[in-house]
Amino acid sequence: MYIGIDVGGTNIAVGILDEQLKIIKSGSVSTKAGRAYQDVVRDMAMLTFDLMQQAGLPRDIIKWVGIGTPGAVDVKEGIVRRANNLRWNNAPIASEFKRYIDKPVFMDNDANCAALGEFVMGAAGGKHSAVVITYGTGVGCGIIVDDKIYSGFGGSAGEIGHMVIDINGQVCNCGRSGCYETFASMTALVRRGSAAADANPLSAMAQIRDFSEHLNGKTIFELAKAGDETALTVVKQHIFYMAVGITNIVNILEPEAVVIGGAISKEGEYILEPIRRHVEEYAFCRTLQIPEIVTATLGNKAGIVGAAVLPDYQ
Amino acid sequence: MYIGIDVGGTNIAVGILDEQLKIIKSGSVSTKAGRAYQDVVRDMAMLTFDLMQQAGLPRDIIKWVGIGTPGAVDVKEGIVRRANNLRWNNAPIASEFKRYIDKPVFMDNDANCAALGEFVMGAAGGKHSAVVITYGTGVGCGIIVDDKIYSGFGGSAGEIGHMVIDINGQVCNCGRSGCYETFASMTALVRRGSAAADANPLSAMAQIRDFSEHLNGKTIFELAKAGDETALTVVKQHIFYMAVGITNIVNILEPEAVVIGGAISKEGEYILEPIRRHVEEYAFCRTLQIPEIVTATLGNKAGIVGAAVLPDYQ
């Protein structure tokens, strides 16, 4: 049995996996971000104990524990060097966790763990390299090269959300102008959707926005599919922006597969078809073979699965 | 003894390297690009024979031969899948070369070989990962990860010149808009220099351009250093564009070192200082540690050295 723990800014998710990497029991508690790392680690351990008990499993059956956390993770030392959203600096998570469960503890960045989950058990299963891009509030990414997580020299690689794609673009929270995530994140989609609704007050999108005061990525896609021209223009533009960044990554890394994660992955072929067409038209490797471009399949379980298999892929 | 061969669009350079990887003899002949691969390979072999003879070395002393060529190289099969500037498609270079010298032949892309040369014997010696960016007519790149060349799934990785940094920018020869090389190549520098000279006819840059009808990267840098305001503005802008792309790469790959190659590397600290400052201000890893940013040291020998050491780094 393996334990996979996915620490997010909002929730801590824990899963118990069997030898076939099937999640046999999982649960989550609130992270309450901003607390001292000791408090968060205690909650991680307590939830693990609870789940073991619910599953009727003795503690000794655990072979190892994998933990994914936001921020820059010192994989060798098991220390989170810096995680802004948790307000941790040099937090020794692995050693702290071992005070509760004295088994080998492996750690990596949460985006890397989610990527690894998709790589091992999800959309990129059977490949040897993949880039898994998660579109959410920002744009996160995990890179797998030669069956290993690629973390970069100090654990900060894969920040493709902060790749400038418009040198004259709007200022990003990282300080640069025109970062990919200011174009392709769900936040950016909703922002452009809202602006388009303002500009087209008779559109279905404007009416729904004004009625429900709530416009999210899913609504905008639904409106586009239902034939609202304003929403359709926004959605087409959004898919184009997604494709520009993906083509950049294909030109730089030429992975075997690109996996699109986050809530937008539910759109499936509706986004995949135009993105593939863009990559086929513009990627440098187009005359040979373009990477497989697919949507993620594990949803929010990817982080747990990836954390649980860390030792084989670090 | 090892043979390193660097096949370019203009010249074929061959070097004989001793056990300490010192080039003890080297020479070059014209590639005459556009010829059948058999003719080019014959010239590669004949030049090798010549150099061996000049050095008084028997053919049997060769341990292996490394060959770097432009284009997408199938490293395992020793086949150039596609090299536009040589007009080769599926050219079986390794097997053809063995008809002349029956020793193990290793191949890779020329940019990868040049990067490897700098990695092993040049600016990034002693590191475990590096991105070597060569600024010339275009922008080429070689990526080394965990002491191995990273070629991508089909051998087309590292095309950072075709990373869009301005979604509204001018059309690149690859078909995309605002590629990095339309901003940061020497071609782009000269184009902007020429436009600035047009706009400022009284500038020293305009006068020199009009007098000699020749403005190149070196002249523009010299004029900037000599105090010509027009040239200085162009150069500052150019360094900024270089830095934007380098910061993108640092955010995506966070290598241990970034090596700047091509003729512009001769500008040394004059370009390094502002580029480092930009990366320190904007890279995602800035609160931890930024990669070492240095200029290449091997010049046009990097390709030969890298080719000769290929088997240890593929």
Side-chain angles (χ1 to χ4, degrees), chain A residues 3-5 7 12-16 25-30 32 35 37-55 57 59 62 65 67 96-102:
Chain A
I3 304 294
I5 304 182
V7 183
I12 300 164
V14 174
I16 305 170
K25 193 88 198 165
S26 65
S28 70
V29 290
S30 172
K32 297 180 199 131
R35 291 188 295 163
Y37 72 88
Q38 294 92 336
D39 295 339
V40 176
V41 170
R42 190 184 53 239
D43 285 357
M44 288 156 61
M46 293 308 136
L47 177 55
T48 307
F49 288 147
D50 274 1
L51 295 170
M52 296 293 291
Q53 200 169 22
Q54 287 173 34
L57 294 167
R59 288 184 193 178
I62 300 173
V65 178
I67 303 173
E96 183 70 16
F97 191 87
K98 281 188 188 182
R99 292 180 54 204
Y100 300 94
I101 300 177
D102 192 20

Side-chain angles (χ1 to χ4, degrees), chain A residues 10 17 32 69 74 140 167 175 195 225 230 247 286 291:
Chain A
T10 310
L17 283 78
K32 297 180 199 131
T69 79
D74 183 329
I167 207 161
K225 288 176 187 170
T230 305
T247 307
R286 62 188 177 252

Side-chain angles (χ1 to χ4, degrees), chain A residues 118-148:
Chain A
E118 289 293 341
F119 182 76
V120 175
M121 295 294 284
K127 301 285 189 286
H128 297 289
S129 66
V131 173
V132 181
I133 309 176
T134 305
Y135 298 88
T137 315
V139 175
C141 170
I143 302 170
I144 318 278
V145 167
D146 280 343
D147 293 303
K148 298 278 172 202

Side-chain angles (χ1 to χ4, degrees), chain A residues 72 81-82 143 145 150-160 162-168 174-176 183 240-241 243-244 247-249 251-256 278 282 284-289, chain B residues 72 81-82 143 145 150-160 162-168 174-176 183 240-241 243-244 247-249 251-256 278 282 284-289:
Chain A
R81 290 293 173 206
R82 184 184 50 123
I143 302 170
V145 167
Y150 178 78
S151 300
F153 181 57
S156 298
E159 291 292 349
I160 75 161
H162 301 287
M163 159 177 74
V164 166
I165 64 164
D166 181 3
I167 207 161
N168 302 305
C174 78
R176 307 186 78 193
F183 284 90
F240 168 75
Y241 291 141
V244 168
T247 307
N248 275 4
I249 291 303
N251 282 353
I252 298 166
L253 290 174
E254 203 202 3
E256 202 172 347
H278 186 100
Y282 294 113
F284 213 78
C285 59
R286 62 188 177 252
T287 57
L288 297 163
Q289 189 186 355
Chain B
R81 290 291 173 210
R82 183 184 51 123
I143 300 170
V145 167
Y150 178 79
S151 300
F153 182 56
S156 298
E159 292 292 349
I160 73 161
H162 301 286
M163 158 178 73
V164 166
I165 64 164
D166 180 4
I167 207 162
N168 302 305
C174 78
R176 307 186 79 195
F183 284 90
F240 168 74
Y241 290 142
V244 168
T247 307
N248 274 4
I249 292 302
N251 281 353
I252 298 165
L253 291 173
E254 204 203 5
E256 202 173 348
H278 185 100
Y282 294 113
F284 213 77
C285 59
R286 63 187 177 254
T287 57
L288 297 164
Q289 187 184 357

Side-chain angles (χ1 to χ4, degrees), chain B residues 178-216:
Chain B
C179 283
Y180 184 44
E181 73 176 37
T182 68
F183 284 90
S185 64
M186 296 312 276
T187 318
L189 171 62
V190 172
R191 192 188 63 239
R192 279 197 311 273
S194 194
D198 286 345
N200 299 278
L202 297 179
S203 66
M205 195 154 70
Q207 287 164 25
I208 283 186
R209 197 263 314 260
D210 296 342
F211 182 72
S212 72
E213 289 182 7
H214 187 67
L215 205 59
N216 60 29

Side-chain angles (χ1 to χ4, degrees), chain A residues 37 72 74 78-83 87-93, chain B residues 288:
Chain A
Y37 72 88
D74 183 329
I79 294 172
V80 176
R81 290 293 173 206
R82 184 184 50 123
R87 287 178 234 156
W88 289 353
N89 278 297
N90 292 310
I93 302 304
Chain B
L288 297 164

Side-chain angles (χ1 to χ4, degrees), chain B residues 1-13:
Chain B
M1 298 283 169
Y2 314 101
I3 304 293
I5 304 182
D6 183 10
V7 183
T10 311
N11 286 310
I12 300 164

